[in-house]
Amino acid sequence: MPAKAVTNDAIVSMLREAVCRSVTTFEQGKDRYRILTPFTFPDGDRFCPILQKTGPKWSFSDDGSTFMRMTYRINDDSIMAGTRGKIIEQAIQSFGLTNTGGVLAITVNGGDFGSALYGFTQAVLRISDVALWNKHNPKSSFVEEFKKTIKDAVADQSEYQFNWSDKLLDPKQVYPVDCRISARFPLFVFGVHNEAKCDSATIVIQHYRKKIERFSTVVIYESQEEIGRKNVARLTDVADKQFASLPTAVDLKDYLYNSIAF
Amino acid sequence: MSSILTDAQIQRLVDEEKVLPADWRECMNLKPAKDAQLRGKLEVMGSNGNSFIIYLRRLELDVFCFSAILAYKRLDTGTTFRLRRYNGKDHAHTNKIETDEILFDYHIHKATQRYQDGGYDEDQYAELTDKYSTINEAFGLLLDQCGFVKPLENGGLFDGTEE
């Protein structure tokens, strides 16, 4: 017997039922519900926002869980830095969310709970995906942000050079400096994203201490707290200034102009 | 060592003896951090020379939203690898390969080779548990299950002496 053809109306009906079934609510107190959605984070945990009434208004909130989840992968100092921070800000703005001390929320307007939930979900998943950059390419985002920060802080292109090495003292480029900035005395800037780089920056600085009379050094960590204490201690002994994470261009510029005497 | 850790390598790292520093209880005093969180952190060296970090995270607004994480610092990739993650019950969890679900209950994420092979997070697999209900209890279970040894107490030269 041939299989009975499913009509388009039946397919649409099944789709609607499936979508409705995929969202479930659990009461968690007066005017407060936990929402079970079908959307998952990369670790398999489901996105379960809170729906709550504050005064006359209903809103969806994450209670702060989105940023907490991101810190499993990246240091919180680097969450809002550079390109990551821009994408997060864009997602918050374009979907109409609020960010109150790390708690993301969206107000339900005109009783349209569905649109608010979908917008909130889309924004949170987009924000969460930013943390994945660390997994797929741990270095490139930091390098890009490191370069941009220096370019923004030092407007004149002729004053800095990335991947510099001294042609006379180091012709084989064994002791490269991530960025040399021209000043009254040269400034060597190092970006440190892991322990191997931390150790090599220490060696390069020590090498030039023996060869060059006057220069200053700045170390910018992607996330200092992720680097071993002994590695940091050794680099601290030889570096003049360290930033525990990427500074803003303004902060770096302030340091350059106030401390280095351009 | 390839970028994927086998189940045997993972188990060796979990079982590796890790002697806690004398001030290990300090990390249980969670401190307010950015973004509505309370946090603690502890770094421990293993007897085989491997480096481990325990991260404690809890939301200020939700005592059921917490994580006690044991991570291994990989020297080959410069990244951290989550071996175990003891989670609260503020959310549901789906094991993508087994397709089973844990609905709003405490669960322990465990790193597995099969999830890494499938392109998932190393610790995506999780098991239901009833062995804790607070972050401090979760931390205690992590210490019990992951090779931690408490330092000798009352054995120091000045223990018990009054200033």
Side-chain angles (χ1 to χ4, degrees):
Chain A
M1 214 169 114
K4 197 175 169 184
V6 180
T7 66
N8 287 2
D9 285 348
I11 290 170
V12 169
S13 176
M14 282 191 291
L15 175 64
R16 282 183 175 155
E17 276 178 36
V19 170
C20 285
R21 270 201 313 273
S22 66
V23 176
T24 317
T25 57
F26 296 85
E27 193 167 358
Q28 287 200 323
K30 189 176 184 303
D31 294 336
R32 182 180 163 95
Y33 298 87
R34 179 71 73 175
I35 313 296
L36 178 63
T37 76
F39 304 104
T40 57
F41 293 106
D43 66 353
D45 285 348
R46 301 264 287 268
F47 177 52
C48 301
I50 293 285
L51 172 65
Q52 61 191 358
K53 195 176 182 187
T54 309
K57 290 185 177 175
W58 286 92
S59 62
F60 290 98
S61 164
D62 73 344
D63 275 359
S65 61
T66 305
F67 287 122
M68 185 174 103
R69 188 174 292 282
M70 291 173 78
T71 65
Y72 299 164
R73 294 173 188 281
I74 50 178
N75 178 264
D76 64 347
D77 289 329
S78 57
I79 287 178
M80 295 304 285
T83 312
R84 276 198 194 103
K86 279 184 194 163
I87 289 178
I88 291 171
E89 289 296 348
Q90 273 173 5
I92 288 170
Q93 279 180 12
S94 60
F95 289 99
L97 273 58
T98 57
N99 176 7
T100 311
V103 177
L104 298 175
I106 190 170
T107 302
V108 178
N109 290 318
D112 192 351
F113 288 83
S115 293
L117 177 60
Y118 285 132
F120 190 54
T121 304
Q122 214 174 333
V124 164
L125 294 180
R126 187 176 295 180
I127 290 166
S128 299
D129 281 350
V130 170
L132 292 175
W133 294 2
N134 220 39
K135 179 181 179 187
H136 298 309
N137 200 343
K139 202 174 109 185
S140 67
S141 171
F142 173 66
V143 170
E144 173 205 332
E145 289 160 12
F146 173 83
K147 284 185 170 177
K148 188 174 184 314
T149 303
I150 290 175
K151 285 176 183 173
D152 290 348
V154 185
D156 186 347
Q157 263 191 3
S158 65
E159 288 184 337
Y160 60 82
Q161 187 182 341
F162 290 112
N163 203 23
W164 175 86
S165 56
D166 191 302
K167 283 176 186 156
L168 292 175
L169 297 174
D170 182 26
K172 292 183 179 172
Q173 302 184 331
V174 179
Y175 299 98
V177 173
D178 294 332
C179 183
R180 179 190 187 279
I181 298 177
S182 300
R184 190 150 57 89
F185 301 106
L187 173 68
F188 295 168
V189 188
F190 296 87
V192 172
H193 61 283
N194 62 28
E195 284 166 5
K197 187 64 180 45
C198 188
D199 291 342
S200 75
T202 307
I203 292 166
V204 170
I205 294 172
Q206 279 180 325
H207 172 76
Y208 280 112
R209 290 272 181 240
K210 291 182 196 165
K211 306 277 184 185
I212 300 178
E213 201 169 331
R214 291 292 300 270
F215 68 96
S216 304
T217 54
V218 172
V219 173
I220 298 174
Y221 294 91
E222 181 179 27
S223 170
Q224 191 189 50
E225 74 169 27
E226 300 297 325
I227 309 290
R229 276 179 293 186
K230 287 180 182 172
N231 307 74
V232 172
R234 286 192 289 266
L235 185 50
T236 302
D237 282 343
V238 296
D240 297 311
K241 167 70 179 173
Q242 299 180 80
F243 289 95
S245 61
L246 262 170
T248 64
V250 173
D251 288 344
L252 182 60
K253 195 172 182 175
D254 280 351
Y255 174 74
L256 297 179
Y257 281 88
N258 293 331
S259 307
I260 303 299
F262 252 126
Chain B
M1 192 183 280
S2 72
S3 63
I4 286 181
L5 297 186
T6 65
D7 286 339
Q9 287 172 317
I10 291 166
Q11 196 56 51
R12 274 200 297 276
L13 288 164
V14 169
D15 292 341
E16 183 172 333
E17 186 177 280
K18 308 165 187 80
V19 178
L20 289 163
D23 61 349
W24 65 275
R25 288 185 181 85
E26 284 290 308
C27 76
M28 293 165 72
N29 298 323
L30 301 182
K31 294 178 175 58
K34 278 182 188 173
D35 300 335
Q37 297 165 45
L38 301 169
R39 295 194 196 162
K41 182 184 171 190
L42 183 65
E43 290 189 42
V44 183
M45 287 295 287
S47 57
N48 296 333
N50 291 308
S51 188
F52 301 90
I53 309 177
I54 294 174
Y55 296 101
L56 301 177
R57 301 270 192 272
R58 208 208 84 191
L59 284 188
E60 285 179 348
L61 293 175
D62 187 349
V63 293
F64 299 116
C65 183
F66 63 77
S67 269
I69 302 166
L70 172 63
Y72 156 60
K73 289 176 84 168
R74 294 187 68 156
L75 293 177
D76 54 343
T77 60
T79 57
T80 51
F81 181 95
R82 294 182 303 278
L83 295 163
R84 292 278 191 273
R85 182 152 52 96
Y86 297 70
N87 265 12
K89 63 170 188 175
D90 63 300
H91 59 271
H93 172 82
T94 304
N95 285 324
K96 291 263 171 78
I97 292 177
E98 296 81 359
T99 68
D100 52 0
E101 288 200 50
I102 298 167
L103 284 179
F104 301 107
D105 219 332
Y106 302 101
H107 56 278
I108 304 171
H109 288 258
K110 295 183 174 180
T112 61
Q113 183 181 344
R114 66 183 185 282
Y115 272 84
Q116 293 172 78
D117 286 337
Y120 300 110
D121 276 10
E122 68 266 18
D123 64 343
Q124 197 187 94
Y125 174 71
E127 293 173 359
L128 185 70
T129 183
D130 61 359
K131 291 184 174 159
Y132 59 83
S133 58
T134 66
I135 186 166
N136 280 350
E137 289 173 6
F139 174 55
L141 188 63
L142 182 157
L143 297 183
D144 287 346
Q145 293 186 337
C146 301
F148 284 90
V149 178
K150 289 170 187 163
L152 281 177
E153 288 174 352
N154 304 317
L157 180 62
F158 302 109
D159 286 351
T161 58
E162 290 182 15
E163 289 180 15

